[in-house]
């Protein structure tokens, strides 16, 4: 098992220290998952889970080694949350993809048609983000998370809401990721997680692009039942003709 430990602790030398290879690889899997999510592929979920497992070992430095690193309980906790919610999203998208293929109302390669969240849902997401951060911050502080603890908590709660929104197919989930990245980048750099912090910078631009891609898909991928014009033969009472046309 010594070889496994050596591989597990591989680092990329940089000025003043090094980057854990598993942190870099975990973020690459996360990027691949985000790309899959943008184009609405079911494989985005299992790919993301692999990255989550790797990053979980990074942020729980006290458990998995890394004496010079600090624990970010919000970052670690959100990896566990990602795994749980991703299983839910994986099942939901797979089921939706099968239904869409059966109904022939969308390209077979995509899993869902994006939807705008209602205004009550949008308000609920904002309240959950702010209220959840305020409620969980004392717990993370008690457990010894890295300061500022509220920022660590913000990334945890925001990531939960964004992942859930992605599973539901809400276009707005991309904007929640933007809010997570704005707070997460300075937090990660201050804690010494340079690979993840750098990836968050890219994610910030990527999530804005994802928002516009999903908004465009929402405008142009209407379910067939919504766009089909009434059959005039039905109004004329010719049921057999209408059946032939369909």
């Amino acid at each position: 098992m010594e070889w496994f430990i050596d591989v597990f602790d591989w680092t990329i030398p940089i000025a003043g220290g090094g980057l854990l290879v598993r942190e870099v690889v975990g973020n690459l899997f996360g990027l691949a998952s985000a790309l899959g999510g943008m184009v609405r592929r079911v494989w985005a979920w299992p790919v993301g889970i692999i990255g989550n497992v790797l990053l979980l070992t990074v942020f729980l430095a006290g458990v998995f080694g890394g004496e010079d690193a600090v624990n970010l309980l919000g970052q670690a906790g959100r990896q566990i949350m990602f795994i749980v919610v991703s299983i839910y999203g994986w099942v939901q998208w797979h089921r939706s993809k099968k239904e869409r293929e059966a109904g022939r109302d969308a390209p077979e390669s995509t899993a869902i048609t994006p939807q705008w969240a209602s205004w009550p849902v949008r308000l609920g997401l904002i309240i959950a983000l702010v209220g959840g951060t305020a409620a969980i911050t004392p717990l993370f502080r008690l457990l010894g998370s890295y300061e500022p603890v509220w920022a660590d908590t913000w990334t945890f709660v925001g990531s939960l809401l964004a992942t859930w929104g992605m599973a539901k197919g809400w276009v707005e989930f991309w904007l929640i990721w933007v809010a997570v990245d704005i707070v997460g980048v300075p937090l990660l750099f201050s804690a010494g997680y340079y690979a993840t912090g750098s990836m968050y910078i890219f994610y910030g631009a990527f999530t804005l692009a994802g928002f516009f891609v999903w908004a465009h898909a929402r405008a142009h991928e209407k379910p067939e039942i919504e766009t089909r014009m009434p059959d005039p033969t039905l109004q004329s009472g010719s049921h057999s003709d209408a059946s032939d046309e369909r």
Side-chain angles (χ1 to χ4, degrees):
M1 292 297 293
E2 185 175 348
W3 66 268
F4 177 79
I5 296 175
D6 291 339
V7 171
F8 193 75
D9 290 333
W10 274 355
T11 60
I12 302 173
I14 60 172
L19 293 175
L20 281 172
V21 170
R22 51 192 157 95
E23 181 183 358
V24 176
V25 174
N27 278 290
L28 290 176
F29 271 95
L31 174 59
S33 177
L35 288 169
M38 178 182 286
V39 294
R40 293 168 287 143
R41 301 297 195 269
V42 176
W43 55 257
W45 296 103
V47 168
I49 290 174
I50 296 173
N52 299 146
V53 173
L54 288 171
L55 290 175
L56 175 62
T57 69
V58 172
F59 294 121
L60 286 181
V63 177
F64 294 96
E67 294 80 3
D68 296 331
V70 298
N71 287 320
L72 285 177
L73 298 181
Q75 294 290 330
R78 80 182 195 136
Q79 305 307 320
I80 298 174
M81 172 274 299
F82 278 150
I83 294 171
V84 174
V85 180
S86 292
I87 293 173
Y88 166 76
W90 190 355
V91 172
Q92 289 292 101
W93 279 32
H94 180 73
R95 180 184 298 125
S96 177
K97 183 175 184 289
K98 292 298 183 182
E99 293 174 354
R100 285 158 61 82
E101 290 174 350
R104 298 181 181 178
D105 59 1
E108 293 186 358
S109 59
T110 58
I112 59 168
T113 296
Q115 301 291 329
W116 292 108
S118 65
W119 278 106
V121 169
R122 292 173 180 174
L123 180 60
L125 290 171
I126 295 173
I127 293 174
L129 178 57
V130 177
T133 299
I136 301 176
T137 293
L139 173 61
F140 280 5
R141 179 171 287 113
L142 181 64
L143 293 174
S145 190
Y146 186 72
E147 294 286 352
V149 180
W150 73 266
D152 194 23
T153 311
W154 175 276
T155 63
F156 172 78
V157 177
S159 298
L160 169 62
L161 296 174
T163 308
W164 183 55
M166 178 178 170
K168 301 294 288 186
W170 293 329
V171 178
E172 291 86 348
F173 92 88
W174 292 103
L175 298 181
I176 302 177
W177 277 127
V178 173
V180 169
D181 294 337
I182 290 173
V183 174
V185 168
L187 172 68
L188 288 163
F189 275 114
S190 67
Y193 292 106
Y194 301 110
T196 305
S198 298
M199 188 63 69
Y200 269 38
I201 294 176
F202 175 77
Y203 281 158
F206 181 86
T207 50
L208 281 176
F211 171 77
F212 289 110
V213 169
W214 272 45
H216 181 270
R218 176 66 185 94
H220 292 83
E221 291 186 18
K222 304 290 186 180
E224 185 179 355
I225 192 172
E226 293 181 4
T227 58
R228 181 184 298 166
M229 297 297 292
D231 192 332
T233 59
L234 291 178
Q235 299 178 3
S236 65
S238 178
H239 179 75
S240 61
D241 291 341
S243 300
D244 291 339
E245 292 181 8
R246 290 197 299 271

